């Protein structure tokens, strides 16, 4: 069979080292020749960010971080950066913090160094997200892609186990959805498969020993691969569903991904044998579903949308909003009945 595809690899420096964030950040700031650095970290992340930024001069600290980046929060941060004459943005935190740095870069074109502390993966994508009047919009702009990512597993040790599990499965969802997303190709599938392997190895180690370095490192490495494959392949069915559930019904981001993933995987792999083979093999299991079921049991993953605030009454509206967004690349056709069935199963947490 001939191999024909078009693939874009996004250019970033990735510095990976446990307990090396401060030294790596100082070296990167010097390499980029920045003189006016703005450090963005939520109130919660401030202590961690001060340790990370211990060896650089900080012109401006910014702590006003809100999930899903409301436009008012973005505008305030953009004004603060402009007034302080900032020439480099450094964000230390989860996807919400990285999202705010991206919102500033969108309009200012300032470079970003991202220091992630969850497994969400925003640091490795050129996708921004903003919320205006309760509607979340996303877009693609290479200016929001951080020039450098500094990964330090020590910064994730404080991430509670339940949040680590949900966030890691958010990463796993990037990998699996990449197998059938609109720009799926052999390169992003390879990245995704290695991401599945690393996350399925790391997450059980975290639940077993949350303060151990190995599980945290594997999960962080997997999270990068996951985001790189997602950035390249685009959003598939799974992400379209979760975008509606988070944006319109305000369900928590990472947990919603975790709950939906086995259901979308079961639905799509039935019509995608190559994806099924890759996912099962990466999970080290006979089938993708038994692999996910074993992993979910081991790490006690969230199973139903009801616990996250979704209800029977929301199903028809959610399905209607999702339907027009289903990518043409999806391996299996689905209409309202199939979408409603998927949401119903995820609501109840039935085994797919
Ligand atoms: P988050 O950044 O809101 O963090 C979740 C919670 O964990 C917060 O309360 C935070 O304070 C806390 N936290 C973060 N790091 C911690 C640590 N090391 N120890 C203890 N607590 C810690 O959530 P998230 O799941 O990282 O990111 C979700 C957001 O990122 C959503 O808005 C989502 O849309 C966005 N996102 C964007 C992309 C993209 O490509 N643009 C990709 C993935 C996620």
């Amino acid at each position: 069979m001939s191999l024909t595809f078009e693939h874009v690899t996004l250019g970033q420096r990735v510095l990976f080292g446990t307990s090396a964030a401060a030294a790596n950040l100082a070296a990167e700031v010097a390499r980029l020749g920045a003189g006016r650095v703005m450090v963005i970290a939520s109130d919660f992340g401030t202590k961690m960010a001060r340790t990370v930024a211990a060896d650089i001069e900080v012109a401006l600290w910014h702590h006003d971080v809100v999930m899903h980046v409301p436009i008012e929060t973005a505008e305030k941060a953009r004004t603060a950066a402009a007034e302080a004459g900032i020439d480099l943005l450094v964000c230390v935190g989860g996807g919400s913090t990285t999202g705010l740095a991206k919102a500033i870069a969108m309009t200012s074109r300032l470079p970003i160094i991202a220091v992630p502390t969850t497994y969400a993966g925003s640091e490795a994508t050129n996708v921004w997200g903003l919320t205006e009047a309760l509607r979340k919009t996303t877009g693609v702009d290479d200016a929001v892609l951080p020039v450098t990512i500094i990964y330090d597993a020590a910064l994730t040790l404080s991430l509670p186990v339940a949040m680590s599990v949900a966030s890691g499965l958010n990463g796993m969802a990037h990998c699996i959805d990449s197998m059938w997303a609109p720009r799926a190709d052999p390169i992003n599938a390879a990245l995704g498969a290695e991401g599945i392997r690393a996350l399925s190895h790391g997450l059980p180690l975290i639940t077993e020993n949350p303060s151990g370095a190995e599980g945290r490192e594997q999960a962080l490495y997997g999270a990068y691969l996951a985001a790189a494959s997602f950035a390249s392949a685009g959003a598939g069915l799974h992400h379209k569903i979760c975008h509606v559930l988070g944006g319109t019904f305000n369900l928590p981001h990472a947990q919603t991904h975790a709950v939906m993933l086995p259901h979308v995987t079961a639905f799509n792999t039935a019509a995608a044998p190559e994806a099924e083979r890759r996912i099962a093999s990466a999970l080290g299991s006979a089938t993708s579903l038994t692999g996910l079921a074993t992993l979910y049991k081991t790490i006690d993953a969230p199973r139903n949308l009801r616990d996250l605030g979704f209800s029977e009454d929301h199903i028809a509206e959610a399905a209607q909003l999702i339907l027009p967004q289903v990518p043409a690349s999806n391996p299996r056709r689905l209409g309202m009945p199939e979408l409603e069935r998927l949401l119903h199963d995820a609501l109840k947490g039935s085994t797919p």
Side-chain angles (χ1 to χ4, degrees), residues 42-45 48 65-69 92-99 102 116-129 131 136 138-139 144 154-160 163 166-167 170 174 216 227 230-231 239 243 253-255 257:
S42 66
D43 282 330
F44 168 83
M48 199 182 277
V65 174
V66 181
M67 193 154 178
H68 300 315
V69 198
V92 183
S96 301
T97 309
T98 311
K102 287 178 163 184
T117 64
T118 69
Y119 310 122
S122 176
E123 67 280 359
T125 82
N126 54 1
V127 179
W128 54 261
T131 306
K136 187 168 174 180
T138 58
V144 309
L155 304 177
T156 63
L157 290 175
S158 54
L159 195 63
M163 185 61 208
S167 188
N170 183 187
H174 295 331
R216 298 289 184 179
F230 168 61
H239 280 78
H243 187 86
H253 182 85
Q255 291 82 350
H257 276 268

Side-chain angles (χ1 to χ4, degrees), residues 34-69:
R36 305 274 307 158
V37 179
M38 174 174 180
V39 179
I40 303 162
S42 66
D43 282 330
F44 168 83
T46 303
K47 198 166 154 231
M48 199 182 277
R50 288 206 185 270
T51 318
V52 171
D55 300 336
I56 63 166
E57 203 170 303
V58 177
L60 180 67
W61 286 93
H62 192 86
H63 303 299
D64 185 10
V65 174
V66 181
M67 193 154 178
H68 300 315
V69 198

Side-chain angles (χ1 to χ4, degrees), residues 197-213:
R197 192 207 55 75
L199 284 161
S200 64
H201 177 53
L203 294 179
L205 291 177
I206 292 175
T207 55
E208 213 177 282
N209 177 17
S211 52

Side-chain angles (χ1 to χ4, degrees), residues 39-264:
V39 179
I40 303 162
S42 66
D43 282 330
F44 168 83
T46 303
K47 198 166 154 231
M48 199 182 277
R50 288 206 185 270
T51 318
V52 171
D55 300 336
I56 63 166
E57 203 170 303
V58 177
L60 180 67
W61 286 93
H62 192 86
H63 303 299
D64 185 10
V65 174
V66 181
M67 193 154 178
H68 300 315
V69 198
I71 187 77
E72 302 76 22
T73 309
E75 288 298 354
K76 268 194 244 163
R78 287 166 176 169
T79 305
E83 285 177 359
I86 293 304
D87 61 7
L88 175 67
L89 304 168
V90 173
C91 51
V92 183
S96 301
T97 309
T98 311
L100 182 59
K102 287 178 163 184
I104 304 172
M106 250 174 100
T107 50
S108 65
R109 317 317 267 178
L110 287 171
I112 303 173
I113 296 178
V115 187
T117 64
T118 69
Y119 310 122
S122 176
E123 67 280 359
T125 82
N126 54 1
V127 179
W128 54 261
L130 283 171
T131 306
E132 194 164 7
L134 294 178
R135 284 199 83 85
K136 187 168 174 180
T137 44
T138 58
V140 173
D141 182 347
D142 282 347
V144 309
L145 180 77
V147 291
T148 305
I149 310 173
I150 294 175
Y151 284 113
D152 180 344
L155 304 177
T156 63
L157 290 175
S158 54
L159 195 63
V161 169
M163 185 61 208
S164 302
V165 163
S167 188
L169 292 174
N170 183 187
M172 179 80 77
H174 295 331
C175 300
I176 291 183
D177 214 26
S178 292
M179 303 288 170
W180 40 66
R183 298 186 303 276
D185 68 40
I187 297 177
N188 48 50
L191 294 172
E194 172 63 357
I196 293 169
R197 192 207 55 75
L199 284 161
S200 64
H201 177 53
L203 294 179
L205 291 177
I206 292 175
T207 55
E208 213 177 282
N209 177 17
S211 52
E214 190 190 345
R216 298 289 184 179
E217 286 179 345
Q218 285 295 313
L220 210 47
Y221 165 62
Y224 166 75
L225 292 165
S229 68
F230 168 61
S232 158
L237 175 64
H238 172 89
H239 280 78
K240 296 297 183 188
I241 293 174
C242 293
H243 187 86
V244 167
L245 295 179
T248 306
F249 301 96
N250 206 25
L251 302 195
H253 182 85
Q255 291 82 350
T256 304
H257 276 268
V259 171
M260 281 313 304
L261 184 61
H263 298 280
V264 177

